[in-house]
């Protein structure tokens, strides 16, 4: 039986592993990771499908294919009986900008419902916003989605091994294909020093009266989820600190309260440090990785990384 392994059990790793099982049911897939589900940074992500210019592949064409494939993947899941267990739902909301009309555009305009706001609609929001748009998109909550993917992976015969991988080459001696989904760990495993951490800090609060998301170009966003509302955020490059910073917390709370004053009555649940575009990018990039893995398996070549 041909074999493959996936390194990393965040949303990208688990999506890659399950899609590889779908593409090649005859392949035995093993998952290696030192952190699973609640211990991963993926679990703290708000999980909203909202691409920006920061999310890009090797070309514009590839980036678009990743986005279109990913949106289609989650849209199909939304139409199945598994949607609730998988933490997938439709979500609509607004993007606001003080001075940049391009900031309220989105690459997925053609994939979903989208329109620019009228000046009167923009003025209805608290603050000095000048531009705005309405968008209907998808939300994937990893508190549910990661356990859902792991359950699917194990049900299909996948083996998950808890360990710290120190060498992809050693795995290549054992498996026909090795898929590296180690995130920041790729700095060491793949020698890729262009990989940098992006520190995100958020609040999660109980505010069930908030039904639509709000994004702004002032580093403030409010995203209602299945059980809580995510308030953010920070985007600190080359910062790998996972502990909560009280100054960031204060800034996030003040920005979001100015945007939606009713949040002052919300009950704070907890803070997270989280990644950036893992949920959104997972299906499209995983499909790309699986295509490469299947090509390697079909070609009969050994130990393709």
């Amino acid at each position: 039986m041909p074999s493959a392994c996936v390194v990393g059990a965040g949303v990208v790793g688990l999506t890659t592993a399950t899609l590889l099982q779908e593409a090649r049911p005859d392949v035995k897939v093993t998952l290696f990771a030192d952190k699973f589900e609640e211990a991963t940074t993926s679990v703290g992500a708000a999980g909203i499908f909202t691409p920006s210019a920061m999310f890009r592949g090797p070309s514009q064409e590839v980036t678009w294919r990743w986005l279109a494939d990913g949106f289609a993947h989650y849209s199909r899941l939304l139409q199945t009986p598994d949607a609730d267990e998988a933490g997938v739902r439709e979500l609509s909301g607004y993007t606001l900008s003080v001075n940049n009309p391009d900031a309220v555009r989105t690459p997925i305009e053609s994939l979903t419902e989208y329109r620019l706001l009228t000046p009167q609609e923009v003025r209805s929001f608290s603050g000095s916003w000048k531009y705005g748009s309405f968008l209907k998109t998808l939300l994937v909550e990893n508190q549910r989605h990661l356990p859902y993917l792991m359950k699917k992976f194990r049900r299909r015969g996948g083996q998950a091994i808890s360990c710290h991988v120190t060498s992809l080459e050693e795995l290549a001696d054992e498996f026909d294909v090795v898929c590296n989904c180690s995130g920041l760990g790729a700095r060491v495993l793949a020698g890729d020093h262009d990989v940098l951490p992006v520190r995100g800090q958020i609040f999660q609060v109980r505010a069930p009266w908030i039904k639509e998301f709000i994004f702004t170009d002032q580093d403030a966003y409010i995203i209602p989820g299945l059980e809580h509302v995510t308030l953010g955020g920070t985007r600190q490059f080359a910062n790998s600190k996972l502990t909560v910073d009280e100054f960031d917390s204060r800034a996030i709370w003040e920005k979001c309260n100015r945007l939606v004053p009713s949040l002052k009555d919300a009950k704070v649940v907890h803070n997270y440090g989280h990644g950036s575009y893992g949920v959104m990018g997972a299906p499209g990039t995983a499909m790309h990785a699986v295509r490469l893995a299947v090509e390697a398996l079909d070609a009969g070549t050994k130990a393709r990384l």
Side-chain angles (χ1 to χ4, degrees):
M1 175 182 289
S3 64
C5 74
V6 176
V7 180
V11 65
V12 176
L14 279 172
T15 303
T16 301
T18 54
L19 289 181
L20 181 54
Q21 288 175 318
E22 289 181 11
R24 286 290 300 269
D26 63 313
V27 174
K28 180 181 179 181
V29 182
T30 303
L31 182 68
F32 293 99
D34 54 3
K35 295 180 180 178
F36 292 89
E37 298 184 19
E38 290 293 330
T40 67
T41 54
S42 287
V43 80
I48 191 169
F49 202 105
T50 52
S52 76
M54 291 181 60
F55 178 79
R56 58 181 182 270
S59 68
Q60 186 174 1
E61 180 184 358
V62 171
T63 302
W64 171 249
R65 185 170 71 242
W66 288 350
L67 291 173
D69 285 348
F71 199 83
H73 171 84
Y74 288 129
S75 296
R76 287 191 296 270
L77 185 53
L78 181 65
Q79 303 305 316
T80 71
D82 289 346
D84 186 65
E85 181 185 358
V88 180
R89 74 180 181 97
E90 198 170 59
L91 185 66
S92 60
Y94 305 90
T95 301
L96 303 171
S97 174
V98 171
N99 53 24
N100 183 6
D102 291 332
V104 301
R105 311 288 312 196
T106 174
I108 62 169
E109 291 174 19
S110 63
L111 298 177
T112 184
E113 184 179 339
Y114 170 88
R115 67 176 177 84
L116 294 174
L117 299 183
T118 65
Q120 182 178 0
E121 287 175 312
V122 173
R123 288 193 296 270
S124 69
F125 291 92
S126 177
S128 55
W129 311 108
K130 189 174 180 181
Y131 304 101
S133 63
F134 170 86
L135 174 70
K136 185 175 289 185
T137 186
L138 299 169
L139 184 79
V140 183
E141 286 210 0
N142 274 339
Q143 287 92 338
R144 296 190 185 185
H145 196 61
L146 294 185
Y148 167 78
L149 291 176
M150 181 60 79
K151 179 180 176 181
K152 178 185 288 188
F153 175 73
R154 292 184 186 277
R155 189 169 58 234
R156 291 172 174 167
Q159 182 181 14
I161 298 176
S162 178
C163 69
H164 182 70
V165 175
T166 58
S167 169
L168 295 178
E169 285 71 20
E170 291 178 4
L171 293 175
D173 292 335
E174 183 179 353
F175 297 92
D176 297 303
V177 172
V178 177
C179 299
N180 178 19
C181 303
S182 59
L184 188 59
R187 283 178 62 85
V188 174
L189 287 177
D192 188 351
H193 296 287
D194 289 332
V195 177
L196 295 173
V198 180
R199 180 179 179 274
Q201 183 172 311
I202 61 173
F203 278 101
Q204 291 183 333
V205 302
R206 301 288 186 188
W209 58 89
I210 295 179
K211 304 297 184 183
E212 296 177 309
F213 70 82
I214 302 177
F215 267 94
T216 79
D217 61 355
Q218 304 298 301
D219 288 329
Y221 56 82
I222 299 170
I223 305 172
L226 295 169
E227 298 176 0
H228 54 255
V229 177
T230 298
L231 311 181
T234 65
R235 192 182 299 276
Q236 300 165 351
F237 289 86
N239 186 338
S240 58
K241 186 175 77 170
L242 294 176
T243 56
V244 172
D245 184 288
E246 62 176 295
F247 298 104
D248 288 336
S249 295
R250 190 178 307 145
I252 293 168
W253 187 252
E254 290 175 355
K255 286 187 296 186
C256 290
N257 270 268
R258 284 196 299 269
L259 190 59
V260 179
S262 66
L263 282 171
K264 68 180 184 299
D265 299 320
K267 179 181 178 183
V268 177
V269 182
H270 44 249
N271 293 286
Y272 276 109
H274 69 292
S276 189
Y277 294 109
V279 170
M280 184 189 71
T285 57
M287 290 177 195
H288 192 147
V290 167
R291 283 193 290 269
L292 296 176
V294 169
E295 288 174 6
L297 288 164
D298 289 343
T301 54
K302 181 71 175 174
R304 282 286 300 274
L305 298 178

